[in-house]
mmCIF file of all heavy atoms in Angstrom:
data_model
loop_
_atom_site.group_PDB
_atom_site.id
_atom_site.type_symbol
_atom_site.label_atom_id
_atom_site.label_comp_id
_atom_site.label_asym_id
_atom_site.label_seq_id
_atom_site.Cartn_x
_atom_site.Cartn_y
_atom_site.Cartn_z
ATOM 1 N N GLN A 197 64.546 151.496 146.762
ATOM 2 C CA GLN A 197 64.575 152.480 147.824
ATOM 3 C C GLN A 197 66.054 152.423 148.397
ATOM 4 O O GLN A 197 66.551 153.496 148.709
ATOM 5 C CB GLN A 197 63.677 151.946 148.979
ATOM 6 C CG GLN A 197 62.165 152.076 148.663
ATOM 7 C CD GLN A 197 61.854 153.646 148.255
ATOM 8 O OE1 GLN A 197 62.293 154.541 148.972
ATOM 9 N NE2 GLN A 197 61.180 153.841 147.195
ATOM 10 N N GLU A 198 66.629 151.332 148.412
ATOM 11 C CA GLU A 198 68.057 151.255 148.956
ATOM 12 C C GLU A 198 69.004 151.880 148.001
ATOM 13 O O GLU A 198 69.983 152.526 148.473
ATOM 14 C CB GLU A 198 68.437 149.831 149.243
ATOM 15 C CG GLU A 198 67.811 149.190 150.487
ATOM 16 C CD GLU A 198 68.360 149.790 151.773
ATOM 17 O OE1 GLU A 198 69.473 149.359 152.185
ATOM 18 O OE2 GLU A 198 67.778 150.724 152.335
ATOM 19 N N ARG A 199 68.785 151.735 146.820
ATOM 20 C CA ARG A 199 69.750 152.355 145.823
ATOM 21 C C ARG A 199 69.627 153.871 145.862
ATOM 22 O O ARG A 199 70.546 154.549 145.801
ATOM 23 C CB ARG A 199 69.459 151.788 144.350
ATOM 24 C CG ARG A 199 69.832 150.353 144.207
ATOM 25 C CD ARG A 199 69.528 149.807 142.860
ATOM 26 N NE ARG A 199 69.644 148.283 142.964
ATOM 27 C CZ ARG A 199 69.390 147.442 142.008
ATOM 28 N NH1 ARG A 199 69.112 147.835 140.775
ATOM 29 N NH2 ARG A 199 69.493 146.057 142.179
ATOM 30 N N ILE A 200 68.325 154.285 146.033
ATOM 31 C CA ILE A 200 68.128 155.741 146.151
ATOM 32 C C ILE A 200 68.789 156.302 147.460
ATOM 33 O O ILE A 200 69.374 157.328 147.468
ATOM 34 C CB ILE A 200 66.579 156.015 146.073
ATOM 35 C CG1 ILE A 200 66.101 155.751 144.632
ATOM 36 C CG2 ILE A 200 66.337 157.516 146.447
ATOM 37 C CD1 ILE A 200 64.566 155.868 144.550
ATOM 38 N N ARG A 201 68.569 155.468 148.484
ATOM 39 C CA ARG A 201 69.065 155.971 149.785
ATOM 40 C C ARG A 201 70.643 155.999 149.610
ATOM 41 O O ARG A 201 71.333 156.984 150.220
ATOM 42 C CB ARG A 201 68.722 154.955 150.819
ATOM 43 C CG ARG A 201 68.965 155.472 152.258
ATOM 44 C CD ARG A 201 68.207 154.527 153.306
ATOM 45 N NE ARG A 201 68.697 153.250 153.413
ATOM 46 C CZ ARG A 201 69.781 152.903 154.219
ATOM 47 N NH1 ARG A 201 70.437 153.842 154.907
ATOM 48 N NH2 ARG A 201 70.197 151.703 154.183
ATOM 49 N N GLY A 202 71.216 155.022 148.967
ATOM 50 C CA GLY A 202 72.736 155.050 148.928
ATOM 51 C C GLY A 202 73.199 156.248 148.164
ATOM 52 O O GLY A 202 74.171 156.885 148.512
ATOM 53 N N TYR A 203 72.516 156.612 147.139
ATOM 54 C CA TYR A 203 72.748 157.746 146.358
ATOM 55 C C TYR A 203 72.738 159.049 147.306
ATOM 56 O O TYR A 203 73.616 159.840 147.319
ATOM 57 C CB TYR A 203 71.853 157.924 145.141
ATOM 58 C CG TYR A 203 71.824 159.262 144.532
ATOM 59 C CD1 TYR A 203 72.741 159.828 143.773
ATOM 60 C CD2 TYR A 203 70.572 160.060 144.708
ATOM 61 C CE1 TYR A 203 72.539 161.062 143.099
ATOM 62 C CE2 TYR A 203 70.401 161.221 144.169
ATOM 63 C CZ TYR A 203 71.493 161.787 143.383
ATOM 64 O OH TYR A 203 71.338 163.025 142.773
ATOM 65 N N GLU A 204 71.611 159.160 147.920
ATOM 66 C CA GLU A 204 71.369 160.353 148.730
ATOM 67 C C GLU A 204 72.408 160.478 149.906
ATOM 68 O O GLU A 204 72.919 161.483 150.133
ATOM 69 C CB GLU A 204 70.052 160.343 149.400
ATOM 70 C CG GLU A 204 68.827 160.514 148.394
ATOM 71 C CD GLU A 204 67.453 160.346 148.925
ATOM 72 O OE1 GLU A 204 67.356 159.636 149.960
ATOM 73 O OE2 GLU A 204 66.505 160.867 148.286
ATOM 74 N N GLU A 205 72.811 159.321 150.456
ATOM 75 C CA GLU A 205 73.752 159.366 151.544
ATOM 76 C C GLU A 205 75.075 159.758 151.064
ATOM 77 O O GLU A 205 75.780 160.471 151.767
ATOM 78 C CB GLU A 205 73.691 157.918 152.196
ATOM 79 C CG GLU A 205 74.521 157.842 153.524
ATOM 80 C CD GLU A 205 73.865 158.791 154.545
ATOM 81 O OE1 GLU A 205 72.640 159.065 154.529
ATOM 82 O OE2 GLU A 205 74.647 159.139 155.577
ATOM 83 N N ALA A 206 75.487 159.229 149.966
ATOM 84 C CA ALA A 206 76.711 159.564 149.417
ATOM 85 C C ALA A 206 76.803 161.063 149.105
ATOM 86 O O ALA A 206 77.896 161.702 149.336
ATOM 87 C CB ALA A 206 77.021 158.754 148.113
ATOM 88 N N MET A 207 75.768 161.631 148.615
ATOM 89 C CA MET A 207 75.786 163.024 148.236
ATOM 90 C C MET A 207 75.863 163.840 149.577
ATOM 91 O O MET A 207 76.652 164.841 149.677
ATOM 92 C CB MET A 207 74.467 163.372 147.592
ATOM 93 C CG MET A 207 74.349 162.812 146.174
ATOM 94 S SD MET A 207 75.521 163.401 144.938
ATOM 95 C CE MET A 207 74.751 164.887 144.346
ATOM 96 N N LYS A 208 75.027 163.454 150.556
ATOM 97 C CA LYS A 208 74.956 164.212 151.795
ATOM 98 C C LYS A 208 76.334 164.235 152.482
ATOM 99 O O LYS A 208 76.833 165.245 152.978
ATOM 100 C CB LYS A 208 73.972 163.504 152.793
ATOM 101 C CG LYS A 208 72.640 164.050 152.690
ATOM 102 C CD LYS A 208 71.744 163.382 153.730
ATOM 103 C CE LYS A 208 70.258 163.354 153.255
ATOM 104 N NZ LYS A 208 69.481 162.232 153.668
ATOM 105 N N ILE A 209 76.931 163.016 152.557
ATOM 106 C CA ILE A 209 78.124 162.964 153.303
ATOM 107 C C ILE A 209 79.291 163.753 152.628
ATOM 108 O O ILE A 209 80.290 164.194 153.302
ATOM 109 C CB ILE A 209 78.640 161.473 153.354
ATOM 110 C CG1 ILE A 209 79.076 161.092 154.798
ATOM 111 C CG2 ILE A 209 79.604 161.091 152.337
ATOM 112 C CD1 ILE A 209 79.117 159.739 155.088
ATOM 113 N N SER A 210 79.046 164.236 151.335
ATOM 114 C CA SER A 210 80.067 165.041 150.641
ATOM 115 C C SER A 210 79.592 166.443 150.595
ATOM 116 O O SER A 210 80.033 167.204 149.769
ATOM 117 C CB SER A 210 80.449 164.488 149.343
ATOM 118 O OG SER A 210 81.116 163.306 149.444
#
Side-chain angles (χ1 to χ4, degrees):
Chain A
Q197 292 301 314
E198 285 290 280
R199 289 178 196 179
I200 290 171
R201 193 166 70 84
Y203 160 74
E204 291 175 336
E205 191 62 23
M207 295 293 276
K208 269 183 208 148
I209 224 163
S210 293

